[in-house]
């Protein structure tokens, strides 16, 4: 099993924390060196939060579709738009700069995105949703946020 990430810094950190695991940085995300229909399941755990643009998210899902076997499972766990004052303020402050509401910059310069619930239906149009649930998750900085978990299936080939 190999874990892929677009951030060389995150790959370096992962290799340091887990030296026995295999990691690879994607040079031109989201294209991967993986074969077509080579995976039974793909997990996107807080990945879309790190991909702020609509276009890049669509490219990522197209790549996931390519590498996922027909009938394969896609699991998405990510963060929804938050309704607290801190988040509303930073969404508004960065909406013009970043091009969409829900995109924001963190104190360390990372550009992140929280999503309206409807976005996932649009993004995963080619998948059959099996289950969706809303959850509460702790963020890296200790806040509680509302997240979503989606289990979806790539349709079997015709």
């Amino acid at each position: 099993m190999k874990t892929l990430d677009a951030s060389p810094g995150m790959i370096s950190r992962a290799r340091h924390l887990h030296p026995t695991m295999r990691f690879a940085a994607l040079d031109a995300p989201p294209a991967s060196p993986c074969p077509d229909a080579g995976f039974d399941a793909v997990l996107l755990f807080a990945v879309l939060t790190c991909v702020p643009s609509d276009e890049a998210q669509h490219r990522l899902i197209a790549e996931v579709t390519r590498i996922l076997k027909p009938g394969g499972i896609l699991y998405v766990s990510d963060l929804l738009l938050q309704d607290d004052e801190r988040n509303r303020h930073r969404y508004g402050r960065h909406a013009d700069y970043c091009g969409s509401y829900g995109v924001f910059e963190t104190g360390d310069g990372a550009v992140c995105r929280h999503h309206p619930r409807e976005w996932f239906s649009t993004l995963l149009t080619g998948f059959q949703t099996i289950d969706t649930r809303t959850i509460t998750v702790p963020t890296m900085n200790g806040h509680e946020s509302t997240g979503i978990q989606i289990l979806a299936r790539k349709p079997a080939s015709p």
Side-chain angles (χ1 to χ4, degrees):
M1 181 171 130
K2 185 184 287 189
T3 301
L4 304 171
D5 198 292
S7 169
M10 293 302 287
I11 292 294
S12 178
R13 181 177 178 200
R15 285 180 177 149
H16 175 74
L17 292 172
H18 305 282
T20 61
M21 293 180 68
R22 295 183 339 173
F23 301 94
L26 297 172
D27 294 329
S32 76
C34 302
D36 291 358
F39 291 86
D40 293 314
V42 173
L43 307 177
L44 298 180
F45 189 80
V47 170
L48 297 173
T49 291
C50 301
V51 181
S53 84
D54 289 359
E55 180 184 334
Q57 287 192 9
H58 280 290
R59 285 194 319 264
L60 174 64
I61 296 303
E63 183 65 4
V64 165
T65 301
R66 181 187 72 78
I67 67 172
L68 195 58
K69 290 179 181 177
I73 297 293
L74 171 62
Y75 170 80
V76 175
S77 181
D78 225 293
L79 296 174
L80 295 168
L81 285 175
Q82 307 302 304
D83 196 31
D84 60 283
E85 185 175 335
R86 180 182 70 91
N87 278 299
R88 285 193 315 266
H89 176 71
R90 67 182 180 170
Y91 298 156
R93 187 174 65 231
H94 293 94
D96 291 335
Y97 168 74
C98 296
S100 90
Y101 187 78
V103 178
F104 59 95
E105 190 172 333
T106 63
D108 60 1
V111 177
C112 298
R113 179 178 182 179
H114 294 165
H115 305 83
R117 184 176 302 276
E118 304 78 34
W119 173 246
F120 295 99
S121 296
T122 300
L123 188 62
L124 302 177
T125 298
F127 286 83
Q128 300 164 339
T129 301
I130 298 169
D131 193 21
T132 301
R133 66 179 63 156
T134 303
I135 59 170
T136 300
V137 295
T139 65
M140 291 188 306
N141 60 12
H143 293 95
E144 280 194 349
S145 291
T146 303
I148 189 168
Q149 295 176 325
I150 302 167
L151 190 61
R153 182 181 309 280
K154 178 180 174 181
S157 296

